[in-house]
Amino acid sequence: MSLSEDPDLQPTLFGLFLSMYLVTVLGNLLIILAISSDSHLHTPMYFFLSNLSFVDIGFISTTVPKMLLNIQTHNRVISYKGCLTKISLFGIFVCMDDMLLTVMAYDRFVAICHPLHYTVIMNLCLCGFLTLVSFLLSLLNSQLHNLMILQITSFKDVKISSFFCDPSQLLNLSCSHNYSDNIVKYFLAAIYGLFPISGIFFSYYKIIASILRIPSSVGSTKLSPPVGLTWQLFSYFMKQLLECT
C-alpha cells in the first residue's frame, strides 16, 4: 500500500524520501571512509561504528528504493520471491542493528569501568567474534520468520498494509490461527528486543555508577583518548545533572 493516494502528494513524497535516503547513505559512507582511511580510528569503538553504518545503509536500502520506485511508476506490485527476499534482508539488518548497539554499549562499559584492561579485553579476536555472533543471531531470526511465512500457502493478490513487506503484516494474512507461530513470535521479540535493551541499560547503569564513585579529575588523567574524552563528557554531564537537582 502507498503512503498516500493523493496524486498531488506523490512528487513531494518522492523528493522527501529520496533526499532522506541520499543523506543517510552518504553520511554513513563518509563515516566508513573516514574510519578506514585514518589509522588512529582503528579501535574497537570505531570498528563497531563502521559496521553499524554499513548495517544502516543496508537497512534503509531494503525498504526505501522499492518505495521510491512504486511512487514513480505508480505500481505497487511485488513478487512472492521478492517479498521473501526483502523480509530476509530486513530481518537481518534490523536485528544486527540492535545487536551492534548492545555490543557498543558493552565496549563503552569496558572502556570506562575497566580502562586499564581495555586493550586486553577488547582485542581484535573478540571484536570479530562479537560481530560474527551478531550476524549469525540476526540471520537466525530472519530465517525463522521466513519459515513461518512459508507455511502460509494461500497468498494470491493480497494487499499488505505497509509500504514494505513487513513480516508481522504477512503473518496476519493467515486464515488459520497458529498458536505455535504466536509463541515463536513472542519468543523472538523477547530475545531480540528485551535482552539487547536490558544489556544496553545495564551497561550504562554501570558506567554512570562508576563515574559517580570516582572524581572526574582523577579518572580522566589516567585514561587515554578516546576513553578519556568519553569519561570527561560523562563526568561533565553528571555534574550538571547533580547541580540542577
Side-chain angles (χ1 to χ4, degrees):
M1 296 181 67
S2 62
L3 296 176
S4 175
E5 298 293 340
D6 189 354
D8 296 333
L9 283 179
Q10 302 305 316
T12 303
L13 291 174
F14 180 83
L16 176 64
F17 286 102
L18 178 62
S19 60
M20 293 171 62
Y21 175 73
L22 293 177
V23 167
T24 302
V25 172
L26 292 176
N28 284 287
L29 282 177
L30 287 176
I31 293 175
I32 296 174
L33 291 175
I35 293 173
S36 60
S37 61
D38 192 348
S39 59
H40 296 90
L41 300 181
H42 294 173
T43 61
M45 178 178 68
Y46 291 105
F47 171 76
F48 294 130
L49 181 60
S50 61
N51 280 276
L52 184 65
S53 296
F54 174 76
V55 170
D56 285 341
I57 293 175
F59 169 67
I60 194 171
S61 298
T62 304
T63 56
V64 176
K66 175 62 177 174
M67 181 184 65
L68 294 176
L69 181 64
N70 293 344
I71 294 176
Q72 193 68 15
T73 61
H74 305 287
N75 181 14
R76 301 191 298 273
V77 177
I78 186 171
S79 65
Y80 181 66
K81 293 181 180 179
C83 189
L84 290 179
T85 303
K86 289 177 70 68
I87 290 174
S88 298
L89 296 175
F90 178 79
I92 290 174
F93 289 126
V94 168
C95 290
M96 197 165 181
D97 207 321
D98 294 338
M99 296 293 109
L100 286 176
L101 289 175
T102 308
V103 170
M104 292 175 71
Y106 173 73
D107 173 69
R108 292 299 86 204
F109 162 73
V110 176
I112 294 177
C113 298
H114 304 283
L116 300 180
H117 300 89
Y118 177 73
T119 55
V120 177
I121 298 175
M122 300 302 299
N123 54 63
L124 182 61
C125 293
L126 181 61
C127 293
F129 175 75
L130 292 175
T131 305
L132 179 61
V133 169
S134 299
F135 171 74
L136 292 178
L137 290 176
S138 303
L139 181 62
L140 175 63
N141 174 69
S142 172
Q143 296 310 307
L144 287 176
H145 277 95
N146 264 3
L147 286 176
M148 289 189 293
I149 294 173
L150 285 172
Q151 295 176 1
I152 307 173
T153 59
S154 57
F155 284 147
K156 185 178 180 180
D157 298 333
V158 296
K159 282 188 176 181
I160 303 173
S161 300
S162 180
F163 61 91
F164 66 98
C165 288
D166 190 351
S168 61
Q169 295 293 335
L170 286 176
L171 290 173
N172 290 334
L173 297 174
S174 176
C175 297
S176 60
H177 298 284
N178 196 333
Y179 291 101
S180 61
D181 287 347
N182 291 331
I183 293 175
V184 172
K185 285 194 296 183
Y186 291 136
F187 177 76
L188 293 177
I191 295 296
Y192 292 94
L194 183 60
F195 285 170
I197 293 176
S198 300
I200 292 172
F201 276 111
F202 179 75
S203 297
Y204 283 104
Y205 163 75
K206 298 293 290 184
I207 290 172
I208 295 174
S210 298
I211 292 173
L212 292 178
R213 286 197 304 265
I214 302 176
S216 59
S217 59
V218 177
S220 60
T221 56
K222 296 182 180 180
L223 303 179
S224 59
V227 179
L229 178 60
T230 307
W231 187 285
Q232 291 176 354
L233 291 174
F234 268 102
S235 301
Y236 175 78
F237 172 76
M238 294 307 302
K239 285 173 64 179
Q240 295 297 322
L241 183 62
L242 291 175
E243 289 178 0
C244 293
T245 55

